Amino acid sequence: MKKIMDKALEDVDEIGHLLKTKYKKNSKKVYIIVEGQDDKIYYSNFIQDYLPDDWDYEFFIPNKSTNKKSCKKKLLQCYTNIDWRTYNKNQVIFFIDRDLSDILGERLPNQPNIYITDGYAIENSIIKENILLRVITELCYFNECSEGDIKNLKKLYADSFNFFYNTMAIVMGWIIYWQLQGLNPQLGNIEIKKIFKFDDNGNIFLENNINHEYFHNKMNIIYDNKVNIKQYIKIFKKFDKHKMLIRGKYLLEFFIEFCHFIDAKFVNLNCLNITKRIRKRTQPKLSFIDIAHIAKKPKSLATFFDQNIVQYIEKFSTV
């Protein structure tokens, strides 16, 4: 009986049911279905710029605790169940993370009203060189940087990122192997600030005891030293041509740690001559919300909005 109940719960399309009760066709409203709260924060930052003052939008987010399905699978289930003869595709739009779908052979639907992130997740589109300077000057309260400071800051970040990337590529190789084996690693158990450190000269290094066994223990997976992990790392890097497939939350945490390092140690760095503004707090929090609000919109996202929201508004206006 319990198995039957569990199966019934897994089959429940909670988002679809909720959307059915809220949806009003041919209205001045856009319905947006996302995987989580961070997605809502990020996408709403741009969506409101596309809507006239008398238009509105509403987000739908799956409840993570209702069944064992991932939020992505719940969104895809909802999309499949919708009778698109009743719903306007330009009015109901979906946003899902790419994750490692390309590598794992998971086919994501190619539909005009489904946006799939360019990289692993939205964080991979946020964390770019152009956002680094804005975070340092606007959120870390530094004065304007000279051209020399900007150049040196970017080089310092690029060197640190390359070290971070090559280390985490090993982790991503393991994640690929685990998921292909049907295992369920606890990805959220990894704390980047406990893995990477910076010395006073800006050099990045690993904390002691960071090895294959460490990552297995943190993610509650039994370590098998017979696995040829190099082949999975090679697979990861082959697919990750633009270095966009490191798990987004790992990348965001690394970026924040780098900015905190600059904030705390800039006076010790000979390559930087930037000065601080007077401020009240000792260290900026630099949360996802802070950084997402100054993020630049990816070209792919702008195209998606043009083909859906803008097109829906234009058609609505001609009716």
Side-chain angles (χ1 to χ4, degrees):
M1 179 62 71
K2 185 177 183 302
K3 288 184 178 180
I4 295 174
M5 291 295 292
D6 289 344
K7 181 65 169 61
L9 284 173
E10 283 191 29
D11 291 338
V12 170
D13 179 8
E14 57 189 273
I15 296 296
H17 289 307
L18 185 58
L19 179 64
K20 189 174 183 180
T21 64
K22 298 286 190 83
Y23 181 69
K24 292 181 181 179
K25 193 173 184 178
N26 298 324
S27 62
K28 292 184 176 182
K29 191 169 187 177
V30 176
Y31 300 86
I32 306 149
I33 304 171
V34 297
E35 293 186 42
Q37 289 294 334
D38 283 352
D39 303 87
K40 177 180 176 180
I41 292 166
Y42 176 70
Y43 291 116
S44 63
N45 191 39
F46 303 117
I47 288 170
Q48 59 190 358
D49 294 335
Y50 283 79
L51 298 177
D53 291 341
D54 57 340
W55 282 63
D56 199 3
Y57 59 93
E58 184 172 0
F59 277 92
F60 295 83
I61 305 173
N63 187 336
K64 292 183 178 180
S65 62
T66 52
N67 60 48
K68 295 179 180 179
K69 276 186 180 173
S70 69
C71 291
K72 180 195 284 187
K73 287 183 178 179
K74 290 180 181 181
L75 263 64
L76 295 175
Q77 177 191 34
C78 174
Y79 190 92
T80 301
N81 291 344
I82 286 178
D83 182 355
W84 291 108
R85 295 170 297 179
T86 304
Y87 295 79
N88 188 316
K89 278 193 173 184
N90 295 139
Q91 190 185 11
V92 182
I93 54 181
F94 289 70
F95 296 88
I96 64 175
D97 291 341
R98 184 174 299 276
D99 299 326
L100 294 174
S101 300
D102 298 337
I103 302 176
L104 298 174
E106 298 172 353
R107 295 183 63 182
L108 299 179
N110 182 18
Q111 295 294 335
N113 63 332
I114 296 181
Y115 178 76
I116 301 171
T117 55
D118 294 331
Y120 188 101
I122 53 180
E123 291 91 348
N124 302 78
S125 291
I126 293 174
I127 306 304
K128 301 288 185 181
E129 254 191 8
N130 60 3
I131 204 69
L132 173 63
L133 187 61
R134 289 198 65 185
V135 170
I136 291 297
T137 56
E138 297 175 30
L139 301 182
C140 292
Y141 304 95
F142 280 91
N143 288 319
E144 292 299 321
C145 299
S146 68
E147 288 298 320
D149 284 332
I150 294 172
K151 180 180 178 180
N152 291 334
L153 187 61
K154 287 181 177 180
K155 184 181 185 307
L156 193 61
Y157 178 73
D159 292 343
S160 298
F161 172 77
N162 284 335
F163 183 87
F164 162 80
Y165 180 85
N166 287 324
T167 301
M168 297 310 293
I170 299 171
V171 179
M172 299 309 297
W174 278 114
I175 291 173
I176 292 167
Y177 170 76
W178 294 330
Q179 293 189 350
L180 287 173
Q181 298 301 311
L183 300 175
N184 185 32
Q186 303 301 301
L187 304 182
N189 288 351
I190 294 296
E191 296 178 81
I192 295 300
K193 64 182 178 181
K194 291 186 178 179
I195 298 174
F196 298 94
K197 298 294 180 183
F198 295 90
D199 65 22
D200 287 346
N201 296 316
N203 300 308
I204 187 172
F205 60 95
L206 290 176
E207 277 283 31
N208 294 329
N209 301 319
I210 302 300
N211 51 33
H212 296 287
E213 290 186 63
Y214 172 86
F215 292 114
H216 280 74
N217 291 336
K218 292 296 289 185
M219 297 196 210
N220 296 326
I221 300 288
I222 297 174
Y223 177 49
D224 182 357
N225 61 8
K226 299 184 186 66
V227 175
N228 179 15
I229 192 58
K230 289 183 179 179
Q231 74 178 83
Y232 295 97
I233 298 170
K234 187 176 180 179
I235 290 170
F236 173 75
K237 290 188 174 182
K238 178 182 176 181
F239 275 86
D240 194 17
K241 295 177 182 178
H242 304 291
K243 296 188 175 181
M244 291 276 283
L245 293 181
I246 292 288
R247 185 171 184 260
K249 286 183 171 50
Y250 298 158
L251 176 61
L252 178 67
E253 289 176 33
F254 162 74
F255 181 80
I256 290 173
E257 287 305 303
F258 177 83
C259 292
H260 279 163
F261 163 74
I262 297 296
D263 177 77
K265 300 292 185 178
F266 72 99
V267 293
N268 298 327
L269 298 172
N270 294 327
C271 63
L272 299 178
N273 294 312
I274 49 181
T275 57
K276 297 289 292 266
R277 297 173 185 165
I278 297 174
R279 63 183 187 180
K280 294 180 181 179
R281 51 183 178 172
T282 57
Q283 187 181 68
K285 183 181 178 182
L286 300 185
S287 66
F288 173 83
I289 296 176
D290 295 326
I291 298 173
H293 280 167
I294 61 172
K296 186 176 181 180
K297 180 169 62 225
K299 289 181 180 179
S300 60
L301 184 57
T303 300
F304 179 80
F305 286 143
D306 287 339
Q307 293 175 347
N308 286 280
I309 296 178
V310 172
Q311 190 174 120
Y312 176 67
I313 293 172
E314 288 175 350
K315 288 181 179 178
F316 185 91
S317 302
T318 59
V319 175

